[in-house]
Amino acid sequence: MRASLGVVSRRKKLLLLPGITVAVVGGAAGLVVWTEVLLGGSLALGVAGLVVLSFLAVFGTSALLVAAADALQGRPVGIRASYGRVAGRVRPIAGWAPIGLMQVLAAVLLVGMAWALGSYLVVPALVLDGVRVREAMRRSREVYRRDRAEFTRGSTWLALPFLLTFLPSVVLFVLGLMDADRRLGMLLMAVAALCLWAGTTVTAGLSGVFRARLYLESKGVAAADPVSPVLHVSPLE
């Protein structure tokens, strides 16, 4: 985690990209909830909304992974260029979005953690090498089987910024919701949202660097800006 933080601290755009994604997905989620309330609740609309949110999250993550790979290989990191390159991979991203959604739901229910970890490098394979979803899943599973401990340890530590901000954000939001002073309540809820956004953004940025590094090393590509001097992933090819 410390090494990933070093890369992100030197390339601030690796925090800007996930920050944009979190804001867009959060805003879209609010719109989906608002629409559901207006229409009295619709299962079909709710499922469609979740798939759209998954697509937006994967698209934003893809742009971050492209930027992280550039940073790790000593190339300039560009926001517009990263989005532009990902735009050419919209179809496979759309194909993975519903699968990724099911994976997240399974992981939340604690019945799909192995599946989630085994699919950790699917999106890097989709956007960095332009392979199809099935091939990306195969590559990710192979790397996971070889370095299962590194996957688990790395993904756990990288979630720390989110975990540290989640509980304070919930507490602040509840206090704001219950406060008799409307202005103070709104302020507390805004601070809660900002706190959660910051934690999620930092976690996503660190995770992007870690995932890009794992995938590059799985292909035998040496990173110019290393994340972990002891990390070794056997090449796939």
Side-chain angles (χ1 to χ4, degrees), residues 43 55 95 134 144 184 209:
L43 179 60
F55 171 81
R134 182 175 297 181
Y144 173 64
L184 179 58
V209 174

Side-chain angles (χ1 to χ4, degrees), residues 16-203:
L16 179 58
L17 280 164
I20 293 172
T21 300
V22 173
V24 169
V25 173
L31 181 60
V32 169
V33 172
W34 180 69
T35 305
E36 281 284 290
V37 171
L38 281 182
L39 298 180
S42 167
L43 179 60
L45 182 61
V47 171
L50 287 175
V51 172
V52 170
L53 292 177
S54 180
F55 171 81
L56 292 174
V58 176
F59 188 88
T61 299
S62 299
L64 170 61
L65 288 166
V66 167
D70 285 342
L72 288 168
Q73 295 177 87
R75 296 195 293 258
V77 174
I79 302 295
R80 185 177 299 178
S82 297
Y83 282 120
R85 287 161 62 186
V86 170
R89 302 296 297 158
V90 167
R91 289 184 65 181
I93 289 174
W96 172 250
I99 302 175
L101 175 61
M102 290 187 291
Q103 175 196 100
V104 170
L105 294 176
V108 169
L109 296 174
L110 302 180
V111 296
M113 291 304 299
W115 182 24
L117 288 172
S119 302
Y120 197 57
L121 299 183
V122 168
V123 180
L126 288 177
V127 298
L128 298 182
D129 274 351
V131 300
R132 295 186 178 183
V133 172
R134 182 175 297 181
E135 173 63 14
M137 293 174 69
R138 183 191 68 79
R139 293 188 182 191
S140 184
R141 284 195 302 269
E142 287 190 5
V143 179
Y144 173 64
R145 291 188 187 116
R146 292 168 179 162
D147 293 87
R148 188 170 304 184
E150 187 64 37
F151 271 57
T152 305
R153 182 168 56 252
S155 59
T156 300
W157 279 107
L158 292 172
L160 191 60
F162 171 77
L163 296 176
L164 289 176
T165 55
F166 178 73
L167 185 58
S169 298
V170 172
V171 172
L172 286 172
F173 185 84
V174 172
L175 289 176
L177 197 62
M178 299 175 62
D179 200 293
D181 187 332
R182 192 168 182 177
R183 289 185 179 178
L184 179 58
M186 293 294 292
L187 177 61
L188 287 174
M189 287 190 286
V191 171
L194 183 61
C195 182
L196 188 60
W197 172 82
T200 305
T201 295
V202 173
T203 288

